[in-house]
Amino acid sequence: MRGFILLISGPSGAGKSTLLKKLFEEFAGELYFSISSTTRAPRDGEIDGVHYHFISQEKFQNGIKNGDFLEWARVHENFYGTSLEHTNRALDEGKIVVFDIDVQGFKIAKENLGDKIDSIFITAKNKEELKKRLLKRNTDTIAQLDKRLKNASEEMRELGEYDYLIINDNLEKSYEALRSIFLSLKHKTKRQNIEQIRNLWNEGV
Ligand code: ADP
Ligand code: 5GP
């Protein structure tokens, strides 16, 4: 398998992490989650080095200066960035690297990595439903929630730039869509190591 990037974006609260969790449960050995660095404080249940690398503003700024990030962006007043080194290593190892990043990061990653990226935009059916989910998740203050909803409308303007779109209304159906997209990408001829497959074909005859 030749490594490639499965990049997911969409409004906060749309269900990206929920759907990705299911994909990682089913295809555990095949996927590599790109753990972003962020200056945001961890939420209850979030573990440093698992969900994010939670770092200080100073460390983040040093990372920018040192060119450590493939892309970075300021989202809802916090900084988020993707490690260049980890991404390149995983791609060289032929892994399928999963990014959960915002639309600004998508644009930069696309400029840098072009056809190594397949992208999916995941959203809720409307703003009202998104608000309900954010309230249910209960991780934001009212001011933060307002910011996320405003940002969601801006992100929705960019959905036409993505290869695939999932409107996450029914969770099971959305997972079926994500799973199908993943399997289809994995089986693309250009993702396969054709030479190796041909060599194996002739072995032992
Ligand atoms: P994101 O990663 O996009 O910010 P989450 O995966 O954290 O979003 O989901 C936000 C909330 O919405 C969570 O409480 C999750 O359980 C819930 N949720 C996810 N998908 C659905 C769905 N299809 N229907 C109803 N609630 C959902
Ligand atoms: P949250 O605070 O809800 O975890 O994430 C907020 C937003 O930041 C989401 O849209 C998420 O996709 C995005 N995000 C997470 N990591 C990165 C990253 O490394 N780079 C960019 N550009 N966005 C990220």
Side-chain angles (χ1 to χ4, degrees):
M1 174 72 64
R2 291 184 198 282
F4 69 95
I5 293 166
L6 182 59
L7 187 154
I8 315 280
S9 299
S12 198
K16 301 181 297 294
S17 315
T18 309
L19 286 163
L20 282 179
K21 188 164 176 269
K22 282 164 102 53
L23 196 70
F24 274 82
E25 276 162 10
E26 184 169 355
F27 298 100
E30 299 181 52
L31 297 166
Y32 169 84
F33 184 67
S34 163
I35 304 167
S36 300
S37 296
T38 183
T39 58
R40 157 164 94 57
R43 293 181 187 134
D44 273 356
E46 282 184 333
I47 301 163
D48 186 35
V50 175
H51 299 96
Y52 282 107
H53 298 292
F54 295 100
I55 62 173
S56 65
Q57 290 266 2
E58 193 190 349
K59 205 162 171 204
F60 200 99
Q61 293 303 331
N62 282 337
I64 296 175
K65 267 189 227 138
N66 297 337
D68 292 347
F69 297 121
L70 162 69
E71 64 71 38
W72 63 269
R74 193 171 181 182
V75 192
H76 319 130
E77 297 194 334
N78 293 303
F79 289 93
Y80 296 82
T82 306
S83 160
L84 181 62
E85 189 197 336
H86 293 167
T87 304
N88 282 339
R89 198 186 311 142
L91 287 176
D92 287 346
E93 286 170 6
K95 294 201 171 121
I96 301 168
V97 186
V98 178
F99 284 6
D100 172 352
I101 67 176
D102 87 316
V103 295
Q104 309 169 70
F106 162 65
K107 284 183 190 162
I108 299 164
K110 198 77 192 162
E111 273 164 28
N112 291 335
L113 294 169
D115 71 351
K116 281 206 172 82
I117 296 183
D118 286 286
S119 56
I120 311 179
F121 194 89
I122 298 180
T123 185
K125 71 174 174 198
N126 56 37
K127 208 172 187 176
E128 198 192 338
E129 174 62 25
L130 190 71
K131 188 173 177 182
K132 266 193 213 154
R133 288 186 197 171
L134 287 170
L135 284 168
K136 187 180 138 213
R137 192 168 72 185
N138 196 23
T139 51
D140 301 304
T141 62
I142 294 296
Q144 283 168 333
L145 190 119
D146 272 354
K147 223 168 269 164
R148 282 183 195 276
L149 287 175
K150 242 178 236 143
N151 199 48
S153 299
E154 277 162 36
E155 295 204 292
M156 286 295 287
R157 284 199 207 118
E158 307 293 333
L159 64 81
E161 302 299 316
Y162 287 73
D163 298 316
Y164 300 91
L165 169 65
I166 298 176
I167 299 185
N168 176 24
D169 197 11
N170 175 302
L171 187 62
E172 292 314 313
K173 286 205 174 128
S174 299
Y175 181 62
E176 211 178 298
L178 177 63
R179 185 179 190 277
S180 308
I181 294 167
F182 167 69
L183 287 175
S184 145
L185 293 175
K186 200 176 95 155
H187 287 276
K188 271 192 169 176
T189 319
K190 71 172 183 184
R191 306 283 186 227
Q192 313 297 321
N193 195 334
I194 306 282
E195 258 331 281
Q196 192 188 36
I197 291 166
R198 284 211 191 100
N199 290 340
L200 284 171
W201 172 258
N202 287 318
E203 251 176 33
V205 179

